[in-house]
Each structure stands twice: as structure tokens, then as C-alpha cells.
Amino acid sequence: MIRIKPLLRSAVAVGAVVGIAVSAAACSSSKSQSSASPAADTKAAASSGGTVASALRLGYFANVTHATAVVGVAHGDFEKALGTTKLTTQVYNAGPAEMTALLGGQLDAAYVGPSSALSAFVQSHGEALKIVAGATSGGAELVVKPDINSPADLKGKTLATPQKGNTQDVALRFWLKQQGLTANPDGTGDVSVNPQDNATTLDQFKAGHINGAWLPEPWASRLVTEAGAKVLVDEKDLWPNGQFSTTTLVVASSFLSKHPDSVKALIDGQIAANQWITANAADAQQLVNDQLKKLTGKALTDDEVKRSFSEQAVTNDPLAASLQTSLDHAVATGLLKKTDLHGIFDLSFLNAELAKSGQPAVSDAGLSKK
């Protein structure tokens, strides 16, 4: 495994389809919201006690990096915390499609990678969503064929990512740029990047149609253990102290404004799920594996479970400073305009609930202004 100088992931626009969804969401929300800002609406609703939603639509991935969501659903932590609010769920392969659903009014909350959340926030001028908690740190790698030993060996090769514009896709494209390799959005360049479903990536790697992939867990581990891939880049090596946000919990601003009590309950469910995962590692791994089998049709091997869990950790901390650095690098490479990220986080609900359970508060420190 090569070691590269610390690199922090950039963010890229989710794409035209998200732009359409943002416009649609803006049009629909203009009919139901007052002229006050989302932040003001949230404070007003919270001060009046808010209302409990009849239902909450939650999106997440069938990944180990979404263990918080997988456990929260399967272990009943969300259901218990939400009480009379009915929980419905939808599983996605990657963030851009999930953010399209949230921005289009099909989801109320979602576990999603920071790049997708950041892109949606920037495109919607800070109106569409709030990050209300972290969920996972770490758990992403560039895994390749055994004969690839350096960035130079990637020239002329084809690599995969979960979806164009998702967190791992952005990480790969920016890393390639730092290595002096082009990877154009249309698939041309020194390296061809082929976004596709993770299960398809595994099959295509086995068949020799692609040379590697930048993937979240457990898919990186599956390519290593099932298909003989090796790690070229462990993303932890690219971040200070090896910590970077992989999964966050975002909530639609309109839902947060109308139903702050339900958001608080969802966060209570997350805190309970993360506490259980931390205190019951073996049982948590088994539960997640059982759910992945249910959701994807295939369970992980014991080695894959252990390896993928060792690569990442659950956390309630959104690691706010890493999001700012992601934007800074996006601006430096011309991928996004400089944007004031103040307002992307609303950690008040999380910190209030953490205090109740005797846990330290988290912070959005590290954000800079225009």
C-alpha cells in the first residue's frame, strides 16, 4: 500500500438530475413554508414544542459504513424512539440518487456521504437540508489488481465507483488529479472512471473488465477477500489522524421545521443504536451481516465482516472540519464555488440528547466564511 501526502476529499455537484430535484423541492416548499428562513422556522417550531410527524421516511445504504442505520432499523432503536411516528425506509446504492429523492420530497431524512450532502446544500443555496449528526468515520479504500503498484500503473486502466458524484467517486477523481492523471466526467482521460452498482463492480472485477474501484465497506473488503484485490490507497492515510466523515445524518429542512420533536426522536434512536453497537461488537456485526443478507441477498464471510468493521467506526460526531476541507479542495480545483457553510449543521438536537445520556457535546467548529 502506497502512502501519499495528506489529501482531503473534494466535493462535486450531484448532477443535473439533482439540480432538477432542487428546483422541484424549492417550488413545492414555497407553497407550504412561511417567508422566514429554515433556521428561523426551526427555532419557532422548537420553541412551541413542535409537532410529531405521523410518518418519517428514512433512506440509507446496505453498507457496513451505514451500520448505525442498519442497526437502528433492525434492532428497533428508531421505532422505539419515534413512538407513534411510523418509520418507512428505502435502501440506496449511493448518495446522489438518495439526495435526489430527499430534494424531490420523497425522503424526510437520510444517511448519506458528506460529498452528496455538501453538493445538495450548495446547489440549494443552503435551503434544502441540515446535517444533524455524524454516523461513521473511515471505511473506504481504493482496491486494485495485484499488478498495480503505483498511480502511474493506473494510466489506461478502468476504475469503478458507486455512483457519479458520490463521496467515493469524488475522492477517486480528486486523488487521481493530485497524481497528475485525468479522469473526465464522460469516462475519457488517463483513467476511465465507471460509476456503477457495487454488486456489479464486484462481478466486473472478477471478470477482468475493470482494474479496481474506490469503495466503501463492505465492498472494498469483498473485492479483497473474494476477488484477490489489494489495497492501493486506504483513505484513512489521506486524512489527519485518520479521521474523516463517511456517513452523516441529514434531514430535509422542511421536515425539521415542521417536526423537530420527530427529528429529536430519530437522533435518540441513533444514539441508542451507536451505544449498542459499541457495547456489543460481536452481536452488532452479526446483526448487520444478517441484514445485509436480507437486503442484498448475500451475507459476508467472517473475514469480510471483521475486516470491514475494523476499517470504520460509528460516531455521532459529524467531524465538521473535514466537511470544510472538502469544500476548500473543491473550490481549489474549480469543482464548486466558495460557499459559507455556516448553517449546514444543526447540532442542537444532537447535543441536547447527548447531554441527557452523559456524553460530550460535538461541535461544528472549523467552518470558515466566504
Side-chain angles (χ1 to χ4, degrees):
M1 179 174 64
I2 61 173
R3 302 263 173 175
I4 311 293
K5 64 181 181 179
L7 141 78
L8 293 173
R9 170 179 31 193
S10 66
V12 68
V14 174
V17 67
V18 174
I20 295 172
V22 171
S23 299
C27 292
S28 62
S29 64
S30 66
K31 297 178 182 179
S32 60
Q33 293 182 358
S34 70
S35 59
S37 68
D41 287 344
T42 300
K43 291 178 180 178
S47 64
S48 64
T51 60
V52 175
S54 59
L56 188 152
R57 301 164 298 172
L58 178 69
Y60 65 101
F61 307 166
N63 287 347
V64 171
T65 52
H66 284 235
T68 298
V70 175
V71 168
V73 172
H75 192 244
D77 298 299
F78 292 151
E79 184 178 12
K80 180 179 179 180
L82 286 168
T84 59
T85 298
K86 181 181 178 181
L87 177 68
T88 61
T89 61
Q90 180 66 46
V91 174
Y92 293 84
N93 180 70
E98 188 182 33
M99 287 297 90
T100 298
L102 186 138
L103 295 173
Q106 298 168 15
L107 292 175
D108 303 308
Y111 285 89
V112 68
S115 290
S116 298
L118 175 58
S119 297
F121 179 85
V122 171
Q123 287 196 32
S124 66
H125 307 289
E127 297 297 317
L129 57 82
K130 300 286 186 182
I131 296 175
V132 296
T136 306
S137 173
E141 296 171 306
L142 171 58
V143 294
V144 296
K145 293 290 185 181
D147 60 347
I148 295 175
N149 298 304
S150 70
D153 293 338
L154 294 173
K155 192 169 185 178
K157 302 296 193 298
T158 299
L159 303 176
T161 61
Q163 189 176 354
K164 185 177 179 180
N166 97 304
T167 297
Q168 287 75 46
D169 185 75
V170 171
L172 172 59
R173 293 178 191 274
F174 189 62
W175 179 81
L176 289 171
K177 183 180 179 66
Q178 283 207 325
Q179 312 314 310
L181 297 168
T182 58
N184 301 321
D186 62 1
T188 62
D190 296 326
V191 179
S192 178
V193 176
N194 184 18
Q196 58 191 9
D197 183 88
N198 293 323
T200 300
T201 292
L202 177 60
D203 292 338
Q204 290 210 340
F205 187 85
K206 289 179 177 179
H209 298 318
I210 61 174
N211 305 98
W214 199 301
L215 298 171
E217 292 296 354
W219 295 99
S221 289
R222 290 192 64 180
L223 262 69
V224 169
T225 59
E226 294 181 34
K230 74 174 185 181
V231 178
L232 185 65
V233 180
D234 186 330
E235 194 170 346
K236 290 196 297 289
D237 294 340
L238 310 181
W239 292 82
N241 302 316
Q243 293 186 320
F244 63 101
S245 176
T246 305
T247 309
T248 63
L249 174 59
V250 304
V251 176
S253 296
S254 58
F255 187 87
L256 183 60
S257 299
K258 296 174 185 176
H259 307 295
D261 290 344
S262 296
V263 173
K264 181 175 66 175
L266 179 64
I267 291 172
D268 280 338
Q270 164 166 319
I271 292 172
N274 281 347
Q275 285 179 323
W276 186 81
I277 292 169
T278 301
N280 304 275
D283 289 341
Q285 291 178 25
Q286 184 62 57
L287 178 59
V288 169
N289 199 16
D290 290 344
Q291 291 304 303
L292 294 187
K293 181 179 180 180
K294 179 180 178 181
L295 295 170
T296 68
K298 182 177 175 61
L300 303 175
T301 67
D302 289 344
D303 287 344
E304 288 167 347
V305 171
K306 292 176 182 177
R307 186 185 187 282
S308 58
F309 268 87
S310 70
E311 287 292 318
Q312 56 89 46
V314 296
T315 178
N316 296 308
D317 191 341
L319 301 171
S322 68
L323 191 76
Q324 180 65 57
T325 308
S326 293
L327 177 62
D328 291 344
H329 281 272
V331 171
T333 55
L335 295 173
L336 285 176
K337 65 181 181 180
K338 191 171 183 180
T339 303
D340 184 355
L341 290 183
H342 285 82
I344 193 171
F345 291 104
D346 186 343
L347 303 179
S348 59
F349 298 94
L350 174 62
N351 282 328
E353 300 313 294
L354 287 174
K356 291 179 183 178
S357 59
Q359 299 184 53
V362 300
S363 173
D364 63 1
L367 300 183
S368 61
K369 295 184 178 182
K370 291 181 182 179

